[in-house]
Amino acid sequence: GVATYATSTLDPGKASLTAAYSGDSTYPTVNGTTMLTVNGLTATVTVTPGSSSVSAGASLSVKVAVTGTGATPTGTVTLLAGSYTSAAETLASGDYSLTIPAGSLTSGTDTITVNYSGDSNYSSATGTASVTVTALLTPTVTVTPGSTSVSVGASLSVKVAVTGSGATPTGTTTLKSGSYTSTAETLTSGSYTFTIPANSLSAGTDTLTVTYSGDSNYSSATGTSSVTVTAVPLTPTVTVTPAVNTLDSGSTLNVSAAVTGAGATPTGTVTLTGGGYTSAAGTLASGSYTFAIPANSLSAGAVTLTVTYSGDANYATGTGTASV
């Protein structure tokens, strides 16, 4: 006998078909089995980039549509392009939209490949599309200080202009000079004006370096300018702190010296004298130094300990005292 079977109810892959004979008065019941390869319907994967041309620094949206001659395809799609591979994303009504992150594609012609997983009706399939990726433009960063000469105790305005051969650059700029670093500031019409606070620059010739972040059209870049900073010495504060205020002449004594000021952290050396004792010069570390006065170095009675600060490029000399 011949039986007709609707294979549309079978999932793609290997199917086992079994014919069961009921038997009769002469023959017993018996089964016969064979394997059948079931091919799924052919799906069409259509890949549509949001634009046929994109900058290497820009993201790109991609719409994926999976269609077929039967039911609406279900399952997942995965996108590969340049250095980017998406997660497996579930179709909704046969569609899904993905976004390729900025910087994932290389200059030239890039192929976008979408792999469809298949489902109970459709075999897996692949679709592709091409997109032209243009290289990032090189911008020019111009740094213009409000003055080419400024005193240590004065603030300084610095204008930054970022220009290029295409659209007006966007993004952020950061200024650095000596120990000063600004926050990242957003360009307006390709420009920004920084103000470096007073006492932020060291005496001498300082280089102002501005770093531009780049955007979807332009690569990152830097620009520099120089400014002469003249020293108007700041007045330091020298704080002297003995470990104890009363001790026997036969005891050692630790004395902390801290030098602070309105600008950069003071550098240089400090020396301690008092009660017949004179120390060697000690080099400041983060504005501080601790002296260790040996036993039997101080005379008995009320002793005034004087710490003398050497000064540096930003600070004048100074002294501080304490009594034990």
Side-chain angles (χ1 to χ4, degrees):
V2 176
T4 301
Y5 191 81
T7 57
S8 61
T9 62
L10 299 177
D11 290 341
K14 294 288 186 179
S16 175
L17 302 182
T18 300
Y21 169 57
S22 63
D24 61 13
S25 59
T26 303
Y27 294 95
T29 300
V30 67
N31 293 339
T33 302
T34 190
M35 296 300 295
L36 178 69
T37 299
V38 182
N39 295 319
L41 297 173
T42 300
T44 300
V45 180
T46 304
V47 182
T48 308
S51 174
S52 60
S53 180
V54 65
S55 165
S59 59
L60 177 66
S61 62
V62 179
K63 182 178 180 180
V64 178
V66 184
T67 55
T69 57
T72 300
T74 59
T76 62
V77 288
T78 304
L79 182 148
L80 298 89
S83 61
Y84 176 71
T85 300
S86 75
E89 304 290 356
T90 303
L91 292 173
S93 301
D95 296 333
Y96 194 85
S97 293
L98 302 99
T99 298
I100 301 173
S104 300
L105 303 177
T106 55
S107 301
T109 300
D110 273 26
T111 298
I112 301 170
T113 301
V114 174
N115 294 322
Y116 166 57
S117 64
D119 62 10
S120 59
N121 296 307
Y122 292 93
S123 299
S124 59
T126 298
T128 61
S130 294
V131 62
T132 300
V133 183
T134 57
L136 292 174
L137 299 172
T138 301
T140 299
V141 180
T142 304
V143 182
T144 307
S147 174
T148 57
S149 180
V150 63
S151 67
V152 168
S155 61
L156 176 67
S157 65
V158 180
K159 183 178 180 181
V160 177
V162 183
T163 55
S165 57
T168 301
T170 58
T172 62
T173 54
T174 305
L175 183 149
K176 181 177 177 62
S177 182
S179 61
Y180 174 74
T181 300
S182 74
T183 57
E185 302 292 352
T186 302
L187 292 173
T188 300
S189 301
S191 299
Y192 188 83
T193 299
F194 293 91
T195 298
I196 301 176
N199 302 313
S200 297
L201 302 178
S202 299
T205 300
D206 278 26
T207 299
L208 309 175
T209 301
V210 173
T211 302
Y212 166 57
S213 65
D215 63 10
S216 60
N217 296 306
Y218 293 93
S219 61
S220 59
T222 59
T224 61
S225 184
S226 295
V227 61
T228 300
V229 183
T230 57
V232 177
L234 299 170
T235 300
T237 299
V238 181
T239 304
V240 182
T241 308
V244 295
N245 296 111
T246 302
L247 72 157
D248 296 326
S249 61
S251 301
T252 60
L253 177 64
N254 289 336
V255 179
S256 298
V259 183
T260 56
T265 301
T267 58
T269 62
V270 285
T271 305
L272 183 148
T273 60
Y277 174 75
T278 300
S279 74
T283 301
L284 293 174
S286 301
S288 298
Y289 185 82
T290 299
F291 296 93
I293 302 177
N296 301 311
S297 297
L298 299 176
S299 56
V303 174
T304 298
L305 302 175
T306 301
V307 172
T308 302
Y309 168 54
S310 65
D312 63 10
N314 297 306
Y315 291 93
T317 60
T319 60
T321 61
S323 295
V324 293

